[in-house]
Amino acid sequence: MEKHIHGGNIYSYRDCVDFSANCNPLGTPESVKQAIRDSLECVKDYPQVGYAPLREALGRYEDVEPEYVICGNGAAELIFSLCQAVKPKRALVPAPSFAEYEQALLSTGCQVEHVYLKKEDGFCIQEDFIRSLHKDLDMVFLCNPNNPTGILTEREFLFRVLRYCRELGILLVVDECFLDFVKEPGKYSLKAQLPRYHNLFILKAFTKRYAMAGIRLGYGLCENRELLERMEQVTQPWNVSVMAQAAGIAALKETEYVEEGRKLIFREAPWLRGELEKLGLFLYPSQANYLFFHGPEGLFEACVRHGALIRDCSNYPGLEKGYYRVAVRTHEENRYLAGALKAALEEI
C-alpha cells in the first residue's frame, strides 16, 4: 500500500480545480486569516506550551473540561502520538479507512489486523467487526463517517463496540472529523460517553470544518488523564504554533459560517450525486461532504487532463482500481466537476 498518497496535492496538479480534499467549500473564514496576520507580531516568541487559551476555548465549544482536551499539529499528529504513547502490540482497523491509522500503528511495531468491508454490503461495517474483537487487541480504530466511503455507522452499533472494548481492555479510537457535515451529528457522536468510558478517545480537527488544512490543527477528547499525559510525554513541546493557536481560537467563534457551510453541502450533495448518476457512475450512500463512487479505470488521469483533480482511492487497503472520491463544493465548482467528468468519460 502507498501510505503517503493523499488528496489535496495541488502542487503536482496546479492547473486543476481540487475536488480531492474535503474541506468546507466556503474557504477559510476571514476572521481566521486576520487572526493569523495579527499573530505574526508574536512569531519571534515560542508558542505557549500547553496552549491553555485554545484548550479552554475548545472545552467551552465541546462542553468538556479543558483538561480532557489535547491538541496537535493536525489530527494526524495525534494519531501518531497516541500510538507512541500506548505502544500497542496488536490493533484492529477496518479496510478501507484512513491510511494514517495503520501507518502510525506500524511505526510502533504493532501487528495490524483488518476487517475488510465488502462492496456487496455497501462498505458498511457488519457484525463480523464485533466478532473480530478479542482480548489480545490493544487498540481499535474507527472513522465515522468513514473515509473514503462517507458511510455512517449507527451509534447503537458503536455503543456495542465500545462496551465490548471496555470488557476486553481495548482502547477505542473514534475519528469524528467529518461528523460536522452530517445532518444530525449528535445522533452519531460518542462524546457523551467520555465520562463513562475511559477507554474512548475521540479525534477531531479544524481542517475540514474551517478549511484550515494548511494551518495543521487537530484535537482529541478523552477523560483518561493518564493516557493524555503519556501522549504529552511523547510529543514535542511546541507542536501547536503561534499562528495555529490564534487561528483556532478565532475559528471556534465562527458558528454562522459553519452552519452556512453545512447548508451548502446539504443543498449541493444531492445535485452533484444526480449529475454523477446521469453519467452512469455507481455511487455509494455517503453522508459526508464527499461522494464515493465506482467508475472506469483511468478516470483520475482523464479528469486531470480536463482540469479536475479527484481522489483515486485504489491505494486504500480493501479497494481496487476504479474507486474514487470527490468533494462537494460550491454549485459553480460542482458544475465544473460534472462537465470535466463527462468529458473524461467520453475520452475513456
Side-chain angles (χ1 to χ4, degrees):
M1 184 184 72
E2 299 174 83
K3 299 182 178 63
H4 298 288
I5 295 178
H6 297 284
N9 186 11
I10 59 170
Y11 308 101
S12 297
Y13 303 95
R14 294 186 180 274
D15 296 326
C16 292
V17 180
D18 185 18
F19 293 91
S20 67
N22 314 302
C23 297
N24 192 317
L26 296 178
T28 313
E30 185 56 38
S31 66
V32 173
K33 296 178 183 177
Q34 187 58 51
I36 294 170
R37 288 190 285 265
D38 293 342
S39 74
L40 296 178
E41 295 298 323
C42 302
V43 294
K44 67 182 185 304
D45 303 317
Y46 283 101
Q48 181 172 353
V49 174
Y51 40 84
L54 174 59
R55 183 177 263 164
E56 289 167 6
L58 277 166
R60 289 191 297 271
Y61 181 87
E62 295 287 359
D63 194 25
V64 300
E65 292 297 324
E67 64 181 304
Y68 302 135
V69 178
I70 186 167
C71 294
N73 188 252
E77 186 196 38
L78 291 169
I79 295 169
F80 276 82
S81 61
L82 184 57
C83 291
Q84 291 293 332
V86 175
K87 287 286 193 298
K89 294 180 179 178
R90 189 172 299 200
L92 183 68
V93 179
S97 199
F98 189 46
E100 261 69 4
Y101 309 146
E102 184 168 356
Q103 185 182 344
L105 289 165
L106 292 175
S107 74
T108 68
C110 178
Q111 180 180 337
V112 179
E113 299 177 6
H114 296 96
V115 173
Y116 287 95
L117 311 180
K118 303 177 181 66
K119 61 182 177 181
E120 54 266 32
D121 296 326
F123 293 104
C124 295
I125 291 181
Q126 303 291 320
E127 286 294 324
D128 60 344
F129 189 87
I130 291 180
R131 290 195 294 269
S132 299
L133 299 172
H134 57 83
K135 62 181 178 60
D136 292 327
L137 291 173
D138 300 302
M139 292 180 75
V140 170
F141 279 89
L142 280 175
C143 187
N144 197 35
N146 195 21
N147 180 6
T149 65
I151 303 296
L152 271 169
T153 300
E154 294 294 332
R155 190 167 58 172
E156 289 304 317
F157 187 92
L158 293 174
F159 282 163
R160 293 173 59 202
V161 174
L162 181 57
R163 288 194 293 267
Y164 203 22
C165 282
R166 183 170 64 178
E167 290 173 11
L168 295 172
I170 302 168
L171 175 65
L172 175 62
V173 185
V174 180
D175 186 339
E176 297 186 354
C177 286
F178 286 107
L179 265 188
D180 297 300
F181 298 103
V182 169
K183 286 189 176 180
E184 297 182 88
K187 289 179 62 176
Y188 300 93
S189 176
L190 289 182
K191 185 173 66 173
Q193 305 305 310
L194 288 168
R196 298 176 56 209
Y197 292 89
H198 287 196
N199 67 315
L200 174 62
F201 188 99
I202 295 177
L203 275 167
K204 305 196 80 171
F206 287 74
T207 301
K208 317 301 182 183
R209 189 194 303 152
Y210 304 106
M212 287 170 49
I215 290 295
R216 309 309 305 140
L217 183 58
Y219 60 101
L221 306 175
C222 181
E223 295 208 9
N224 184 333
R225 273 304 307 167
E226 180 185 352
L227 175 59
L228 296 181
E229 288 169 5
R230 283 156 57 195
M231 289 178 67
E232 290 165 356
Q233 289 170 4
V234 299
T235 303
Q236 60 130 334
W238 299 290
N239 63 323
V240 183
S241 72
V242 168
M243 290 78 76
Q245 292 188 37
I249 292 170
L252 292 171
K253 300 173 184 177
E254 288 286 346
T255 53
E256 290 184 14
Y257 157 90
V258 171
E259 193 54 36
E260 286 178 21
R262 283 166 43 83
K263 289 178 180 177
L264 189 154
I265 296 296
F266 301 152
R267 288 195 308 269
E268 287 298 313
W271 183 89
L272 184 58
R273 173 181 292 276
E275 293 300 304
L276 269 58
E277 288 175 340
K278 289 177 188 176
L279 296 174
L281 299 168
F282 182 83
L283 280 89
Y284 291 85
S286 169
Q287 299 295 312
N289 59 329
Y290 48 87
L291 303 180
F292 178 68
F293 63 93
H294 189 267
E297 292 185 31
L299 186 59
F300 172 85
E301 293 81 4
C303 281
V304 167
R305 289 193 289 272
H306 291 279
L309 181 60
I310 67 175
R311 177 67 161 92
D312 181 349
C313 297
S314 60
N315 74 305
Y316 281 85
L319 291 181
E320 57 197 24
K321 287 187 179 297
Y323 286 97
Y324 305 94
R325 189 193 70 199
V326 292
V328 179
R329 299 189 59 82
T330 65
H331 188 67
E332 181 180 352
E333 290 168 322
N334 293 334
R335 285 176 61 88
Y336 182 91
L337 173 62
L341 281 167
K342 183 175 186 295
L345 289 166
E346 290 173 351
E347 176 186 318
I348 293 173

